[in-house]
Amino acid sequence: MAKKAIYDDVKFFNNYIDLRNKEFNYNDMIEQPIVFDLIGSVQDKTVLDLGCGYGAMTVKLANAGAKKVIGVDVSEKMIEKGIKENPHANVEYRVMAAENLSEINEKYDTVVSCLAIHYINDIYKLFRDVYGILNSRGEFVFSMEHPSYTACKVSQKWVTDPENGLVTGFVMDHYGEEGVRKIEWLGKTITKYHHKTATVINALIEAGFVLEKVVEPSPDKKMMENVPKTVHELHRPAYLIIKCKKG
Ligand SMILES: C[S@@+](CC[C@H](N)C(=O)[O-])C[C@H]1O[C@@H](n2cnc3c(N)ncnc32)[C@H](O)[C@@H]1O
């Protein structure tokens, strides 16, 4: 029997939704606007959103004029929520694991993926599969947790000044050891995969992609004013965001 997806665990799912419903969350304030800008115009384009969750980006792209957007995610609960809360005439949601992407027979102008790729072990295969479902000159834009962050095996440790309690840095550990990580997040132990930045870039190049833009965002002034603790994020990049094109 297939293993239950972590986002189908009720407690984890509810905690994740609470996080996303916060007024100032990293996804809405930092990550999704950058991905959306990098994608550019989707007018009359066909798009696949890989690891679409409940369809936040999926429906945004349909509203921006995409002809067809397919949202795929391994979590039934996420897809259920997407169908219920983010429906659109040009959107179709499918429960499907990214590992099975090569089973898709259609081709798309754009593949987008927001914060799902750090859940994938074999990114060499994934990127080949993404390449395979893109039309010629098709684009792939994705964000993932930054490798300086996924590296951490022991825990994610901020360095604090004992005098005043201020955060002065971030301790990264095990960067050179790629592979599985068991991390405590939102009340559960979850499995992610650490890939070095060089591995991510080389896997894209090996698949045949041409890199167009790499972004390691920092919180902006507005975010730091609204959520002061985000100033800590200046010590490490939280996300790696890449735009590339089918060569
Ligand atoms: C952090 S959420 C992001 C959701 C959505 N992309 C967004 O940004 O709103 C990560 C998503 O990746 C999905 N995911 C994790 N592993 C996956 C896999 N192997 N195949 C497809 N989706 C996966 C999860 O179910 C979850 O919905």
Side-chain angles (χ1 to χ4, degrees):
M1 203 173 81
K3 205 169 148 273
K4 196 167 100 172
I6 182 64
Y7 285 80
D8 283 339
D9 178 280
V10 175
K11 183 176 168 200
F12 183 84
F13 179 81
N14 290 339
N15 286 343
Y16 176 75
I17 299 302
D18 286 349
L19 192 70
R20 290 296 297 265
N21 284 341
K22 287 198 170 144
E23 188 183 358
F24 299 107
N25 64 75
Y26 282 29
N27 304 71
D28 294 338
M29 293 287 291
I30 304 178
E31 182 259 339
Q32 294 227 339
I34 295 172
V35 171
F36 190 74
D37 278 359
L38 285 180
I39 294 170
S41 170
V42 285
Q43 192 63 46
D44 296 327
K45 287 190 177 172
T46 56
V47 184
L48 184 130
D49 184 356
L50 184 63
C52 65
Y54 56 82
M57 178 62 77
T58 324
V59 77
K60 223 178 277 177
L61 294 170
N63 285 331
K67 185 163 66 181
K68 177 167 81 171
V69 192
I70 307 294
V72 302
D73 200 286
V74 75
S75 158
E76 288 177 11
K77 280 183 80 62
M78 282 291 203
I79 291 294
E80 254 170 45
K81 188 174 166 72
I83 291 170
K84 206 162 132 200
E85 295 179 14
N86 286 316
H88 191 288
N90 296 358
V91 167
E92 184 194 320
Y93 292 104
R94 296 181 192 163
V95 176
M96 180 182 188
E99 288 82 350
N100 299 332
L101 205 60
S102 60
E103 290 173 7
I104 288 183
N105 295 320
E106 302 153 324
K107 290 203 190 275
Y108 302 89
D109 299 316
T110 305
V111 173
V112 59
S113 181
C114 295
L115 298 177
I117 286 177
H118 47 269
Y119 293 106
I120 307 296
N121 187 11
D122 189 351
I123 55 168
Y124 282 88
K125 177 181 182 307
L126 180 77
F127 293 167
R128 281 197 304 272
D129 290 347
V130 170
Y131 195 91
I133 60 162
L134 278 170
N135 286 321
S136 91
R137 310 293 297 155
E139 291 178 338
F140 179 31
V141 180
F142 66 91
S143 63
M144 61 191 290
E145 285 185 2
H146 197 280
S148 66
Y149 177 93
T150 57
C152 300
K153 216 173 186 182
V154 180
S155 64
Q156 292 164 24
K157 284 177 285 187
W158 296 106
V159 183
T160 309
D161 184 334
E163 299 276 305
N164 53 23
L166 292 177
V167 169
T168 56
F170 177 76
V171 183
M172 181 176 67
D173 61 88
H174 295 88
Y175 187 83
E177 202 180 310
E178 298 189 290
V180 70
R181 295 290 186 273
K182 300 281 181 190
I183 300 292
E184 297 303 314
W185 192 46
L186 301 176
K188 284 276 162 185
T189 305
I190 65 165
T191 304
K192 296 183 190 178
Y193 295 90
H194 167 56
H195 310 285
K196 295 186 205 179
T197 303
T199 301
V200 175
I201 289 170
N202 288 330
L204 289 168
I205 293 169
E206 236 175 73
F209 284 107
V210 176
L211 266 63
E212 298 221 309
K213 189 101 178 168
V214 179
V215 184
E216 294 174 310
S218 301
D220 62 14
K221 208 164 156 265
K222 189 172 165 214
M223 178 92 187
M224 289 188 282
E225 276 166 12
N226 285 310
V227 191
K229 73 171 186 177
T230 55
V231 74
H232 303 165
E233 299 296 338
L234 293 174
H235 294 297
R236 58 154 198 207
Y239 305 120
L240 176 63
I241 305 180
I242 296 184
K243 174 177 184 170
C244 52
K245 207 174 207 139
K246 193 161 180 171

